[in-house]
Each structure stands twice: as C-alpha cells, then as structure tokens.
PDB file of all heavy atoms in Angstrom:
ATOM      1  N   ASP A   1      12.231 -20.406 -14.797  1.00 87.00           N
ATOM      2  CA  ASP A   1      13.515 -20.031 -14.189  1.00 87.00           C
ATOM      3  C   ASP A   1      13.623 -18.509 -14.212  1.00 87.00           C
ATOM      4  O   ASP A   1      14.214 -17.932 -13.210  1.00 87.00           O
ATOM      5  CB  ASP A   1      14.599 -20.668 -14.956  1.00 87.00           C
ATOM      6  CG  ASP A   1      14.812 -22.157 -14.834  1.00 87.00           C
ATOM      7  OD1 ASP A   1      14.153 -22.598 -13.862  1.00 87.00           O
ATOM      8  OD2 ASP A   1      15.392 -22.861 -15.609  1.00 87.00           O
ATOM      9  N   ASP A   2      13.096 -17.825 -15.191  1.00 86.00           N
ATOM     10  CA  ASP A   2      13.145 -16.391 -15.218  1.00 86.00           C
ATOM     11  C   ASP A   2      12.427 -15.854 -14.043  1.00 86.00           C
ATOM     12  O   ASP A   2      12.823 -14.799 -13.403  1.00 86.00           O
ATOM     13  CB  ASP A   2      12.608 -15.841 -16.504  1.00 86.00           C
ATOM     14  CG  ASP A   2      12.898 -14.436 -16.723  1.00 86.00           C
ATOM     15  OD1 ASP A   2      14.016 -13.926 -16.528  1.00 86.00           O
ATOM     16  OD2 ASP A   2      11.880 -13.635 -17.131  1.00 86.00           O
ATOM     17  N   ASP A   3      11.201 -16.507 -13.654  1.00 88.00           N
ATOM     18  CA  ASP A   3      10.406 -15.967 -12.599  1.00 88.00           C
ATOM     19  C   ASP A   3      11.130 -16.216 -11.320  1.00 88.00           C
ATOM     20  O   ASP A   3      11.076 -15.414 -10.302  1.00 88.00           O
ATOM     21  CB  ASP A   3       9.143 -16.777 -12.534  1.00 88.00           C
ATOM     22  CG  ASP A   3       8.188 -16.404 -13.663  1.00 88.00           C
ATOM     23  OD1 ASP A   3       8.365 -15.289 -14.250  1.00 88.00           O
ATOM     24  OD2 ASP A   3       7.371 -17.205 -14.044  1.00 88.00           O
ATOM     25  N   VAL A   4      11.826 -17.260 -11.206  1.00 91.00           N
ATOM     26  CA  VAL A   4      12.719 -17.586 -10.016  1.00 91.00           C
ATOM     27  C   VAL A   4      13.725 -16.449  -9.712  1.00 91.00           C
ATOM     28  O   VAL A   4      13.888 -16.000  -8.571  1.00 91.00           O
ATOM     29  CB  VAL A   4      13.490 -18.913 -10.172  1.00 91.00           C
ATOM     30  CG1 VAL A   4      14.510 -19.102  -9.028  1.00 91.00           C
ATOM     31  CG2 VAL A   4      12.539 -20.030 -10.273  1.00 91.00           C
ATOM     32  N   LYS A   5      14.425 -15.998 -10.760  1.00 88.00           N
ATOM     33  CA  LYS A   5      15.433 -14.922 -10.602  1.00 88.00           C
ATOM     34  C   LYS A   5      14.712 -13.683 -10.191  1.00 88.00           C
ATOM     35  O   LYS A   5      15.258 -12.915  -9.368  1.00 88.00           O
ATOM     36  CB  LYS A   5      16.168 -14.753 -11.871  1.00 88.00           C
ATOM     37  CG  LYS A   5      17.029 -16.044 -12.238  1.00 88.00           C
ATOM     38  CD  LYS A   5      17.602 -15.921 -13.608  1.00 88.00           C
ATOM     39  CE  LYS A   5      18.492 -17.144 -13.910  1.00 88.00           C
ATOM     40  NZ  LYS A   5      19.010 -17.224 -15.245  1.00 88.00           N
ATOM     41  N   LYS A   6      13.587 -13.334 -10.711  1.00 88.00           N
ATOM     42  CA  LYS A   6      12.807 -12.216 -10.355  1.00 88.00           C
ATOM     43  C   LYS A   6      12.392 -12.187  -8.851  1.00 88.00           C
ATOM     44  O   LYS A   6      12.546 -11.238  -8.067  1.00 88.00           O
ATOM     45  CB  LYS A   6      11.582 -12.016 -11.186  1.00 88.00           C
ATOM     46  CG  LYS A   6      11.838 -11.647 -12.725  1.00 88.00           C
ATOM     47  CD  LYS A   6      10.707 -11.625 -13.554  1.00 88.00           C
ATOM     48  CE  LYS A   6      10.950 -11.386 -14.933  1.00 88.00           C
ATOM     49  NZ  LYS A   6       9.741 -11.411 -15.839  1.00 88.00           N
ATOM     50  N   LEU A   7      11.889 -13.347  -8.455  1.00 92.00           N
ATOM     51  CA  LEU A   7      11.517 -13.549  -7.105  1.00 92.00           C
ATOM     52  C   LEU A   7      12.716 -13.468  -6.169  1.00 92.00           C
ATOM     53  O   LEU A   7      12.548 -12.882  -4.996  1.00 92.00           O
ATOM     54  CB  LEU A   7      10.794 -14.880  -6.884  1.00 92.00           C
ATOM     55  CG  LEU A   7       9.457 -15.073  -7.550  1.00 92.00           C
ATOM     56  CD1 LEU A   7       9.067 -16.538  -7.596  1.00 92.00           C
ATOM     57  CD2 LEU A   7       8.372 -14.252  -6.843  1.00 92.00           C
ATOM     58  N   PHE A   8      13.858 -13.960  -6.558  1.00 93.00           N
ATOM     59  CA  PHE A   8      15.031 -13.860  -5.790  1.00 93.00           C
ATOM     60  C   PHE A   8      15.399 -12.447  -5.544  1.00 93.00           C
ATOM     61  O   PHE A   8      15.696 -12.031  -4.381  1.00 93.00           O
ATOM     62  CB  PHE A   8      16.174 -14.582  -6.600  1.00 93.00           C
ATOM     63  CG  PHE A   8      17.548 -14.614  -5.839  1.00 93.00           C
ATOM     64  CD1 PHE A   8      17.888 -15.730  -5.097  1.00 93.00           C
ATOM     65  CD2 PHE A   8      18.481 -13.633  -6.010  1.00 93.00           C
ATOM     66  CE1 PHE A   8      19.058 -15.871  -4.514  1.00 93.00           C
ATOM     67  CE2 PHE A   8      19.651 -13.679  -5.313  1.00 93.00           C
ATOM     68  CZ  PHE A   8      20.025 -14.728  -4.545  1.00 93.00           C
ATOM     69  N   SER A   9      15.446 -11.640  -6.558  1.00 92.00           N
ATOM     70  CA  SER A   9      15.720 -10.214  -6.496  1.00 92.00           C
ATOM     71  C   SER A   9      14.609  -9.487  -5.583  1.00 92.00           C
ATOM     72  O   SER A   9      15.032  -8.689  -4.734  1.00 92.00           O
ATOM     73  CB  SER A   9      15.813  -9.537  -7.902  1.00 92.00           C
ATOM     74  OG  SER A   9      16.814 -10.187  -8.604  1.00 92.00           O
ATOM     75  N   LEU A  10      13.440  -9.747  -5.846  1.00 92.00           N
ATOM     76  CA  LEU A  10      12.412  -9.040  -5.097  1.00 92.00           C
ATOM     77  C   LEU A  10      12.450  -9.383  -3.610  1.00 92.00           C
ATOM     78  O   LEU A  10      12.183  -8.459  -2.782  1.00 92.00           O
ATOM     79  CB  LEU A  10      11.043  -9.444  -5.596  1.00 92.00           C
ATOM     80  CG  LEU A  10      10.490  -8.817  -6.829  1.00 92.00           C
ATOM     81  CD1 LEU A  10       9.286  -9.496  -7.386  1.00 92.00           C
ATOM     82  CD2 LEU A  10      10.215  -7.346  -6.616  1.00 92.00           C
ATOM     83  N   SER A  11      12.889 -10.604  -3.315  1.00 94.00           N
ATOM     84  CA  SER A  11      13.064 -10.937  -1.799  1.00 94.00           C
ATOM     85  C   SER A  11      14.079  -9.988  -1.166  1.00 94.00           C
ATOM     86  O   SER A  11      13.861  -9.536   0.028  1.00 94.00           O
ATOM     87  CB  SER A  11      13.569 -12.411  -1.704  1.00 94.00           C
ATOM     88  OG  SER A  11      12.588 -13.257  -2.311  1.00 94.00           O
ATOM     89  N   PHE A  12      15.123  -9.656  -1.872  1.00 94.00           N
ATOM     90  CA  PHE A  12      16.181  -8.807  -1.273  1.00 94.00           C
ATOM     91  C   PHE A  12      15.724  -7.291  -1.280  1.00 94.00           C
ATOM     92  O   PHE A  12      16.152  -6.492  -0.440  1.00 94.00           O
ATOM     93  CB  PHE A  12      17.529  -9.026  -1.987  1.00 94.00           C
ATOM     94  CG  PHE A  12      18.255 -10.295  -1.603  1.00 94.00           C
ATOM     95  CD1 PHE A  12      18.158 -11.387  -2.248  1.00 94.00           C
ATOM     96  CD2 PHE A  12      18.862 -10.270  -0.346  1.00 94.00           C
ATOM     97  CE1 PHE A  12      18.817 -12.520  -1.889  1.00 94.00           C
ATOM     98  CE2 PHE A  12      19.527 -11.395   0.119  1.00 94.00           C
ATOM     99  CZ  PHE A  12      19.548 -12.555  -0.624  1.00 94.00           C
ATOM    100  N   TYR A  13      14.989  -6.922  -2.204  1.00 93.00           N
ATOM    101  CA  TYR A  13      14.406  -5.553  -2.226  1.00 93.00           C
ATOM    102  C   TYR A  13      13.466  -5.383  -1.056  1.00 93.00           C
ATOM    103  O   TYR A  13      13.490  -4.319  -0.387  1.00 93.00           O
ATOM    104  CB  TYR A  13      13.624  -5.299  -3.549  1.00 93.00           C
ATOM    105  CG  TYR A  13      14.591  -4.921  -4.737  1.00 93.00           C
ATOM    106  CD1 TYR A  13      14.405  -5.747  -5.924  1.00 93.00           C
ATOM    107  CD2 TYR A  13      15.496  -3.902  -4.691  1.00 93.00           C
ATOM    108  CE1 TYR A  13      15.314  -5.527  -6.907  1.00 93.00           C
ATOM    109  CE2 TYR A  13      16.340  -3.708  -5.832  1.00 93.00           C
ATOM    110  CZ  TYR A  13      16.190  -4.413  -6.981  1.00 93.00           C
ATOM    111  OH  TYR A  13      17.061  -4.158  -7.982  1.00 93.00           O
ATOM    112  N   VAL A  14      12.667  -6.350  -0.808  1.00 95.00           N
ATOM    113  CA  VAL A  14      11.763  -6.292   0.318  1.00 95.00           C
ATOM    114  C   VAL A  14      12.534  -6.296   1.641  1.00 95.00           C
ATOM    115  O   VAL A  14      12.277  -5.489   2.545  1.00 95.00           O
ATOM    116  CB  VAL A  14      10.735  -7.452   0.362  1.00 95.00           C
ATOM    117  CG1 VAL A  14       9.905  -7.492   1.670  1.00 95.00           C
ATOM    118  CG2 VAL A  14       9.816  -7.366  -0.798  1.00 95.00           C
ATOM    119  N   LEU A  15      13.621  -7.078   1.706  1.00 96.00           N
ATOM    120  CA  LEU A  15      14.478  -7.138   2.825  1.00 96.00           C
ATOM    121  C   LEU A  15      15.070  -5.754   3.088  1.00 96.00           C
ATOM    122  O   LEU A  15      15.158  -5.310   4.216  1.00 96.00           O
ATOM    123  CB  LEU A  15      15.564  -8.152   2.646  1.00 96.00           C
ATOM    124  CG  LEU A  15      16.689  -8.243   3.695  1.00 96.00           C
ATOM    125  CD1 LEU A  15      16.097  -8.430   5.123  1.00 96.00           C
ATOM    126  CD2 LEU A  15      17.702  -9.249   3.403  1.00 96.00           C
ATOM    127  N   LEU A  16      15.524  -5.116   2.005  1.00 96.00           N
ATOM    128  CA  LEU A  16      16.135  -3.824   2.170  1.00 96.00           C
ATOM    129  C   LEU A  16      15.170  -2.825   2.743  1.00 96.00           C
ATOM    130  O   LEU A  16      15.528  -2.003   3.692  1.00 96.00           O
ATOM    131  CB  LEU A  16      16.635  -3.348   0.781  1.00 96.00           C
ATOM    132  CG  LEU A  16      17.238  -1.916   0.754  1.00 96.00           C
ATOM    133  CD1 LEU A  16      18.488  -1.838   1.626  1.00 96.00           C
ATOM    134  CD2 LEU A  16      17.645  -1.575  -0.704  1.00 96.00           C
ATOM    135  N   LEU A  17      13.912  -2.946   2.302  1.00 96.00           N
ATOM    136  CA  LEU A  17      12.883  -1.969   2.765  1.00 96.00           C
ATOM    137  C   LEU A  17      12.606  -2.291   4.282  1.00 96.00           C
ATOM    138  O   LEU A  17      12.510  -1.242   5.056  1.00 96.00           O
ATOM    139  CB  LEU A  17      11.557  -2.225   2.018  1.00 96.00           C
ATOM    140  CG  LEU A  17      10.398  -1.434   2.584  1.00 96.00           C
ATOM    141  CD1 LEU A  17      10.524   0.071   2.434  1.00 96.00           C
ATOM    142  CD2 LEU A  17       9.105  -1.834   1.705  1.00 96.00           C
ATOM    143  N   ILE A  18      12.578  -3.528   4.660  1.00 97.00           N
ATOM    144  CA  ILE A  18      12.272  -3.848   6.129  1.00 97.00           C
ATOM    145  C   ILE A  18      13.481  -3.400   6.895  1.00 97.00           C
ATOM    146  O   ILE A  18      13.199  -2.921   8.069  1.00 97.00           O
ATOM    147  CB  ILE A  18      12.040  -5.393   6.138  1.00 97.00           C
ATOM    148  CG1 ILE A  18      10.813  -5.831   5.424  1.00 97.00           C
ATOM    149  CG2 ILE A  18      11.903  -5.777   7.652  1.00 97.00           C
ATOM    150  CD1 ILE A  18       9.552  -5.112   5.939  1.00 97.00           C
ATOM    151  N   VAL A  19      14.632  -3.545   6.428  1.00 97.00           N
ATOM    152  CA  VAL A  19      15.866  -3.206   7.228  1.00 97.00           C
ATOM    153  C   VAL A  19      15.810  -1.645   7.498  1.00 97.00           C
ATOM    154  O   VAL A  19      16.152  -1.250   8.519  1.00 97.00           O
ATOM    155  CB  VAL A  19      17.140  -3.602   6.473  1.00 97.00           C
ATOM    156  CG1 VAL A  19      18.329  -2.752   7.025  1.00 97.00           C
ATOM    157  CG2 VAL A  19      17.355  -5.072   6.513  1.00 97.00           C
ATOM    158  N   VAL A  20      15.460  -0.842   6.397  1.00 98.00           N
ATOM    159  CA  VAL A  20      15.437   0.550   6.620  1.00 98.00           C
ATOM    160  C   VAL A  20      14.286   0.940   7.639  1.00 98.00           C
ATOM    161  O   VAL A  20      14.522   1.798   8.428  1.00 98.00           O
ATOM    162  CB  VAL A  20      15.067   1.269   5.310  1.00 98.00           C
ATOM    163  CG1 VAL A  20      14.837   2.741   5.445  1.00 98.00           C
ATOM    164  CG2 VAL A  20      16.265   1.112   4.261  1.00 98.00           C
ATOM    165  N   LEU A  21      13.142   0.277   7.534  1.00 97.00           N
ATOM    166  CA  LEU A  21      12.130   0.594   8.533  1.00 97.00           C
ATOM    167  C   LEU A  21      12.542   0.200   9.872  1.00 97.00           C
ATOM    168  O   LEU A  21      12.151   0.883  10.845  1.00 97.00           O
ATOM    169  CB  LEU A  21      10.847  -0.151   8.133  1.00 97.00           C
ATOM    170  CG  LEU A  21      10.077   0.239   6.826  1.00 97.00           C
ATOM    171  CD1 LEU A  21       8.954  -0.716   6.500  1.00 97.00           C
ATOM    172  CD2 LEU A  21       9.703   1.686   6.882  1.00 97.00           C
ATOM    173  N   CYS A  22      13.214  -0.958  10.032  1.00 97.00           N
ATOM    174  CA  CYS A  22      13.720  -1.375  11.350  1.00 97.00           C
ATOM    175  C   CYS A  22      14.654  -0.298  11.955  1.00 97.00           C
ATOM    176  O   CYS A  22      14.644  -0.020  13.124  1.00 97.00           O
ATOM    177  CB  CYS A  22      14.358  -2.712  11.224  1.00 97.00           C
ATOM    178  SG  CYS A  22      13.225  -4.129  11.195  1.00 97.00           S
ATOM    179  N   PHE A  23      15.649   0.166  11.044  1.00 98.00           N
ATOM    180  CA  PHE A  23      16.583   1.111  11.484  1.00 98.00           C
ATOM    181  C   PHE A  23      15.917   2.385  12.033  1.00 98.00           C
ATOM    182  O   PHE A  23      16.187   2.998  13.087  1.00 98.00           O
ATOM    183  CB  PHE A  23      17.497   1.478  10.380  1.00 98.00           C
ATOM    184  CG  PHE A  23      18.542   2.570  10.665  1.00 98.00           C
ATOM    185  CD1 PHE A  23      19.709   2.190  11.419  1.00 98.00           C
ATOM    186  CD2 PHE A  23      18.382   3.890  10.263  1.00 98.00           C
ATOM    187  CE1 PHE A  23      20.677   3.072  11.701  1.00 98.00           C
ATOM    188  CE2 PHE A  23      19.329   4.810  10.647  1.00 98.00           C
ATOM    189  CZ  PHE A  23      20.511   4.445  11.366  1.00 98.00           C
ATOM    190  N   ILE A  24      14.888   2.820  11.311  1.00 98.00           N
ATOM    191  CA  ILE A  24      14.078   4.015  11.758  1.00 98.00           C
ATOM    192  C   ILE A  24      13.432   3.787  13.084  1.00 98.00           C
ATOM    193  O   ILE A  24      13.435   4.591  13.946  1.00 98.00           O
ATOM    194  CB  ILE A  24      13.072   4.386  10.677  1.00 98.00           C
ATOM    195  CG1 ILE A  24      13.795   4.826   9.368  1.00 98.00           C
ATOM    196  CG2 ILE A  24      12.133   5.535  11.174  1.00 98.00           C
ATOM    197  CD1 ILE A  24      12.845   5.112   8.188  1.00 98.00           C
ATOM    198  N   ALA A  25      12.754   2.565  13.201  1.00 97.00           N
ATOM    199  CA  ALA A  25      12.071   2.204  14.413  1.00 97.00           C
ATOM    200  C   ALA A  25      13.051   2.173  15.626  1.00 97.00           C
ATOM    201  O   ALA A  25      12.743   2.716  16.777  1.00 97.00           O
ATOM    202  CB  ALA A  25      11.331   0.890  14.250  1.00 97.00           C
ATOM    203  N   ILE A  26      14.166   1.653  15.421  1.00 97.00           N
ATOM    204  CA  ILE A  26      15.250   1.502  16.493  1.00 97.00           C
ATOM    205  C   ILE A  26      15.624   2.861  16.870  1.00 97.00           C
ATOM    206  O   ILE A  26      15.865   3.192  18.090  1.00 97.00           O
ATOM    207  CB  ILE A  26      16.293   0.657  15.957  1.00 97.00           C
ATOM    208  CG1 ILE A  26      15.911  -0.777  15.865  1.00 97.00           C
ATOM    209  CG2 ILE A  26      17.531   0.666  17.059  1.00 97.00           C
ATOM    210  CD1 ILE A  26      16.945  -1.693  15.172  1.00 97.00           C
ATOM    211  N   CYS A  27      15.909   3.767  15.879  1.00 98.00           N
ATOM    212  CA  CYS A  27      16.316   5.160  16.198  1.00 98.00           C
ATOM    213  C   CYS A  27      15.297   5.881  17.066  1.00 98.00           C
ATOM    214  O   CYS A  27      15.637   6.575  18.018  1.00 98.00           O
ATOM    215  CB  CYS A  27      16.545   5.889  14.898  1.00 98.00           C
ATOM    216  SG  CYS A  27      18.131   5.394  14.082  1.00 98.00           S
ATOM    217  N   ILE A  28      14.009   5.683  16.708  1.00 97.00           N
ATOM    218  CA  ILE A  28      12.905   6.261  17.378  1.00 97.00           C
ATOM    219  C   ILE A  28      12.878   5.755  18.878  1.00 97.00           C
ATOM    220  O   ILE A  28      12.707   6.574  19.798  1.00 97.00           O
ATOM    221  CB  ILE A  28      11.507   5.957  16.788  1.00 97.00           C
ATOM    222  CG1 ILE A  28      11.463   6.740  15.437  1.00 97.00           C
ATOM    223  CG2 ILE A  28      10.365   6.422  17.665  1.00 97.00           C
ATOM    224  CD1 ILE A  28      10.290   6.351  14.536  1.00 97.00           C
ATOM    225  N   ILE A  29      13.045   4.511  19.042  1.00 96.00           N
ATOM    226  CA  ILE A  29      13.036   3.858  20.415  1.00 96.00           C
ATOM    227  C   ILE A  29      14.151   4.531  21.255  1.00 96.00           C
ATOM    228  O   ILE A  29      13.883   4.851  22.385  1.00 96.00           O
ATOM    229  CB  ILE A  29      13.312   2.352  20.321  1.00 96.00           C
ATOM    230  CG1 ILE A  29      12.052   1.650  19.673  1.00 96.00           C
ATOM    231  CG2 ILE A  29      13.636   1.807  21.755  1.00 96.00           C
ATOM    232  CD1 ILE A  29      12.200   0.215  19.464  1.00 96.00           C
ATOM    233  N   TYR A  30      15.357   4.693  20.687  1.00 96.00           N
ATOM    234  CA  TYR A  30      16.473   5.273  21.497  1.00 96.00           C
ATOM    235  C   TYR A  30      16.379   6.771  21.650  1.00 96.00           C
ATOM    236  O   TYR A  30      16.659   7.317  22.719  1.00 96.00           O
ATOM    237  CB  TYR A  30      17.802   4.844  20.767  1.00 96.00           C
ATOM    238  CG  TYR A  30      18.231   3.471  20.970  1.00 96.00           C
ATOM    239  CD1 TYR A  30      18.810   2.762  19.928  1.00 96.00           C
ATOM    240  CD2 TYR A  30      18.026   2.797  22.183  1.00 96.00           C
ATOM    241  CE1 TYR A  30      19.141   1.409  20.180  1.00 96.00           C
ATOM    242  CE2 TYR A  30      18.338   1.431  22.439  1.00 96.00           C
ATOM    243  CZ  TYR A  30      18.932   0.770  21.307  1.00 96.00           C
ATOM    244  OH  TYR A  30      19.401  -0.504  21.482  1.00 96.00           O
ATOM    245  N   ILE A  31      15.998   7.483  20.602  1.00 97.00           N
ATOM    246  CA  ILE A  31      15.897   8.956  20.645  1.00 97.00           C
ATOM    247  C   ILE A  31      14.807   9.397  21.618  1.00 97.00           C
ATOM    248  O   ILE A  31      15.067  10.326  22.445  1.00 97.00           O
ATOM    249  CB  ILE A  31      15.614   9.521  19.261  1.00 97.00           C
ATOM    250  CG1 ILE A  31      16.855   9.330  18.331  1.00 97.00           C
ATOM    251  CG2 ILE A  31      15.295  11.049  19.381  1.00 97.00           C
ATOM    252  CD1 ILE A  31      16.573   9.749  16.834  1.00 97.00           C
TER     253      ILE A  31
END
C-alpha cells in the first residue's frame, strides 16, 4: 500500500512536468 501512495504521487508529478512542457510548446506555436 505504501508503494501505491508513492505511485499515486509520482503520477501527478509527471503530469505537472508534462503540463509545463505543453504550456511551453503551445507558447512557442503561437509566438
């Protein structure tokens, strides 16, 4: 169960990273 909670958190950390990269990519497309 401890591993489950770690994986849960890691999923959202990766999501945050992907969201930041997407934001940068979108800005580049428009700029």
Side-chain angles (χ1 to χ4, degrees):
D1 289 340
D2 190 48
D3 292 335
V4 171
K5 294 171 182 177
K6 292 175 183 176
L7 291 167
F8 184 93
S9 298
L10 280 172
S11 297
F12 282 99
Y13 282 123
V14 174
L15 173 59
L16 178 61
L17 174 62
I18 297 298
V19 165
V20 171
L21 292 176
C22 284
F23 180 80
I24 294 173
I26 293 169
C27 288
I28 291 174
I29 290 173
Y30 286 141
I31 292 173

